[in-house]
């Protein structure tokens, strides 16, 4: 079967390999069968392995849903009675965590920093010192709205210094940027199958400290479907999700994990970095400006400023590229007009070269000046 290859430069879902797509075509199976349970067991271990977690200390728990679901799970499940969450917010994805806390009515302190800068660690330290009731610290690794890389290891160390648990949103970076859960001072890191692992949508998971999950059995249960401890206990007792899992999506993840380990952590990250470099080369050639200082970028996402050209219309350029097999994505920054190009997925620098040839064609077609104009 020939499947058209689209190059997705949006921040997930990612371009997948044909072998991952085809892995979904399996004989019908009831997920309660031993065969399936065995596969789940291996997947749970492999997910811990991706971040080099010691299986004696860390476990993984999967949920059926997009990445935001696992954010919801971690936030609603890991806060003890009478304690507070500290959210470090320098972008749209941390702002989402703030919203989740608000929806659950969780006691929360929000530390807001400018979106184009990394958080001021001395303020984080002071805040933790002055607020002993903070039991959970939350930060985003790669802020996907801007592409900024946050210093999670340092934030985790501060959380631990003050006796708090550290939850990192590594949804964009897991399986991309090498992460070492213990060295990086992470108690819980989250991810979703459709991002760094280049599998399908609809499956997300957390890799976390097993003792802390067990401890959370005593915390208030704020959700029925999305409670971390209840799902963990079911996995431990029955080896599977509490409710019907996305069966075919899990077969695709199995294949994607095999391909992940075959490519290798370092080689894979090198490939993504070379894609990222090629994106910068193309942008520079056409005169585009990025929003975040280059040295602060994680290597995953480039937020590009709209040119000041009266003929510029993002939707038109998007459609021009889309019709030719390339997907670009609008920005997520309130005060700035940006679009995003991401180095995620089963793509190579030559795909990016082809993309920029199409983009240039599109700019000429719509009579946008090259190099693009800024005031
Ligand atoms: C993609 C992403 C999410 C989750 O988004 P979904 O659309 O729910 O999958 C959360 N945080 C970050 C940093 C992300 O990149």
């Amino acid at each position: 079967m020939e499947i058209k290859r689209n190059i997705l430069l949006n921040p997930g879902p990612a371009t997948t390999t044909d072998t991952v797509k085809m892995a979904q075509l399996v004989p019908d199976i009831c997920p309660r069968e031993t065969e399936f349970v065995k596969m789940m067991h291996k997947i749970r271990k492999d997910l811990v392995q991706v971040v080099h977690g010691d299986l004696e200390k860390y476990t993984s728990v999967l949920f059926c849903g997009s990445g935001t679901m696992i954010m919801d799970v971690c936030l609603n499940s890991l806060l003890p009675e009478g304690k507070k969450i500290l959210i470090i917010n320098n972008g749209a994805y941390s702002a989402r965590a703030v919203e989740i806390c608000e929806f659950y009515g969780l006691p929360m302190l929000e530390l807001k920093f400018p979106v184009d800068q990394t958080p001021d660690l001395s303020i984080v330290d002071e805040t933790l010192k002055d607020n002993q009731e903070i039991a959970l610290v939350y930060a985003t690794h790669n802020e996907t709205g801007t592409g900024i890389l946050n210093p999670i290891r340092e934030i985790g160390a501060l959380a631990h210094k003050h006796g708090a648990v550290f939850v990192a949103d590594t949804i964009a970076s897991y399986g991309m940027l090498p992460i070492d859960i213990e060295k990086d001072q992470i108690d819980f890191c989250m991810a979703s199958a459709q991002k760094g692992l280049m599998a399908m949508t609809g499956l997300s998971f957390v890799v976390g400290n097993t003792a802390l999950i067990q401890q959370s059995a005593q915390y208030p249960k704020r959700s029925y479907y999305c409670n971390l401890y209840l799902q963990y206990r079911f996995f431990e007792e029955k080896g599977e999700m509490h409710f019907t899992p996305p069966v075919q999506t899990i077969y695709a993840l199995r294949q994607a994990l095999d391909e992940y380990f075959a490519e290798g952590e370092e080689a894979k990250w090198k490939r993504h970095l070379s894609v990222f470099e090629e994106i910068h080369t193309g942008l520079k050639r056409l005169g585009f400006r990025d929003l975040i200082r280059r040295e602060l970028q994680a290597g995953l996402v480039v937020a590009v400023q709209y040119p000041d050209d009266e003929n510029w219309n993002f939707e038109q350029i998007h459609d021009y590229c889309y019709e030719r097999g390339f997907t670009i994505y609008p920005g997520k920054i309130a005060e700035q007009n940006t679009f995003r190009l991401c180095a995620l997925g089963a793509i190579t620098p030559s795909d990016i070269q082809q993309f920029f040839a199409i983009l240039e064609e599109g700019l000429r077609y719509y009579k946008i000046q090259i190099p693009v104009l800024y005031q």
Side-chain angles (χ1 to χ4, degrees):
M1 198 198 292
E2 270 290 309
I3 309 170
K4 181 177 173 243
R5 183 163 179 267
N6 285 330
I7 304 300
L8 303 187
L9 300 175
N10 45 294
T15 297
T16 57
T17 61
D18 284 353
T19 36
V20 165
K21 290 182 193 76
M22 297 306 284
Q24 296 175 105
L25 290 181
V26 287
D28 295 322
I29 182 171
C30 171
R32 304 293 180 217
E33 294 300 333
T34 313
E35 184 188 335
F36 195 82
V37 169
K38 272 192 184 151
M39 178 175 63
M40 281 306 273
H41 184 71
K42 178 72 165 48
I43 284 178
R44 285 184 68 205
K45 289 208 271 191
D46 285 351
L47 293 176
V48 176
Q49 183 54 43
V50 169
V51 289
H52 306 281
D54 176 355
L55 288 165
E56 298 287 312
K57 210 172 152 186
Y58 298 95
T59 188
S60 69
V61 183
L62 294 91
F63 284 83
C64 179
S66 82
T68 307
M69 170 168 275
I70 201 68
M71 294 169 64
D72 186 324
V73 167
C74 287
L75 289 162
N76 87 60
S77 307
L78 292 170
L79 187 67
E81 188 76 69
K83 299 288 186 181
K84 222 179 227 179
I85 299 180
L86 176 69
I87 310 264
I88 295 167
N89 179 2
N90 65 337
Y93 291 79
S94 312
R96 190 179 296 176
V98 170
E99 254 180 48
I100 293 170
C101 292
E102 285 170 353
F103 271 60
Y104 282 104
L106 300 174
M108 171 200 52
L109 235 166
E110 179 188 2
L111 264 184
K112 250 187 143 164
F113 296 101
V115 297
D116 57 354
Q117 286 166 39
T118 54
D120 182 334
L121 295 173
S122 64
I123 295 177
V124 175
D125 194 19
E126 279 298 305
T127 306
L128 285 165
K129 202 173 95 198
D130 296 343
N131 296 275
Q132 294 295 322
E133 73 281 15
I134 293 170
L136 206 61
V137 175
Y138 183 102
T140 306
H141 192 199
N142 168 78
E143 244 307 338
T144 309
T146 55
I148 208 166
L149 181 69
N150 284 324
I152 48 166
R153 187 180 289 195
E154 289 74 11
I155 295 169
L158 288 173
H160 293 151
K161 176 178 150 195
H162 295 282
V165 166
F166 181 47
V167 178
D169 174 354
T170 57
I171 295 173
S173 48
Y174 178 101
M176 299 272 297
L177 253 162
I179 294 172
D180 185 307
I181 190 164
E182 191 138 21
K183 282 195 197 130
D184 286 329
Q185 304 274 337
I186 300 168
D187 297 305
F188 294 92
C189 63
M190 303 179 273
S192 199
Q194 84 276 14
K195 297 225 173 169
L197 290 179
M198 315 188 310
M200 295 297 154
T201 59
L203 188 64
S204 46
F205 49 89
V206 57
V207 180
N209 183 301
T210 311
L212 288 172
I213 297 175
Q214 287 163 348
Q215 204 173 307
S216 75
Q218 312 304 324
Y219 302 170
K221 305 276 183 304
R222 303 171 178 99
S223 170
Y224 178 71
Y225 200 91
C226 295
N227 180 271
L228 179 57
Y229 176 73
L230 295 179
Q231 185 85 327
Y232 163 79
R233 196 180 64 190
F234 212 85
F235 264 118
E236 290 301 301
E237 286 170 1
K238 304 270 166 67
E240 54 191 312
M241 286 190 188
H242 196 167
F243 303 106
T244 312
V247 174
Q248 290 74 15
T249 303
I250 290 171
Y251 278 101
L253 176 63
R254 178 63 268 158
Q255 175 67 23
L257 279 164
D258 290 342
E259 292 179 15
Y260 174 85
F261 291 117
E263 185 173 11
E265 180 182 51
E266 232 175 277
K268 182 173 185 292
W269 178 228
K270 257 198 184 152
R271 174 172 61 79
H272 291 301
L273 275 181
S274 66
V275 167
F276 183 74
E277 280 300 324
E278 200 60 49
I279 290 174
H280 275 292
T281 304
L283 287 172
K284 203 170 164 196
R285 185 168 61 76
L286 298 176
F288 281 101
R289 285 189 195 159
D290 39 354
L291 183 79
I292 301 293
R293 289 204 334 264
R294 182 70 189 271
E295 64 272 24
L296 296 181
Q297 296 177 18
L300 304 171
V301 178
V302 188
V304 188
Q305 297 182 31
Y306 281 4
D308 300 310
D309 187 313
E310 59 178 13
N311 290 332
W312 170 263
N313 176 319
F314 175 77
E315 293 306 325
Q316 284 177 342
I317 294 295
H318 166 275
D319 293 354
Y320 190 94
C321 296
Y322 180 77
E323 282 156 16
R324 290 156 183 83
F326 296 90
T327 301
I328 62 176
Y329 204 66
K332 219 182 199 351
I333 302 155
E335 316 81 51
Q336 292 264 4
N337 280 325
T338 56
F339 66 97
R340 286 180 281 175
L341 301 176
C342 307
L344 218 66
I347 61 175
T348 62
S350 88
D351 294 317
I352 301 299
Q353 285 163 10
Q354 285 170 40
F355 161 70
F356 275 103
I358 297 292
L359 177 63
E360 182 170 355
E361 228 180 75
L363 294 174
R364 290 192 196 286
Y365 182 81
Y366 285 108
K367 304 202 167 20
I368 296 156
Q369 204 168 308
I370 298 173
V372 296
L373 290 172
Y374 290 99
Q375 281 162 3

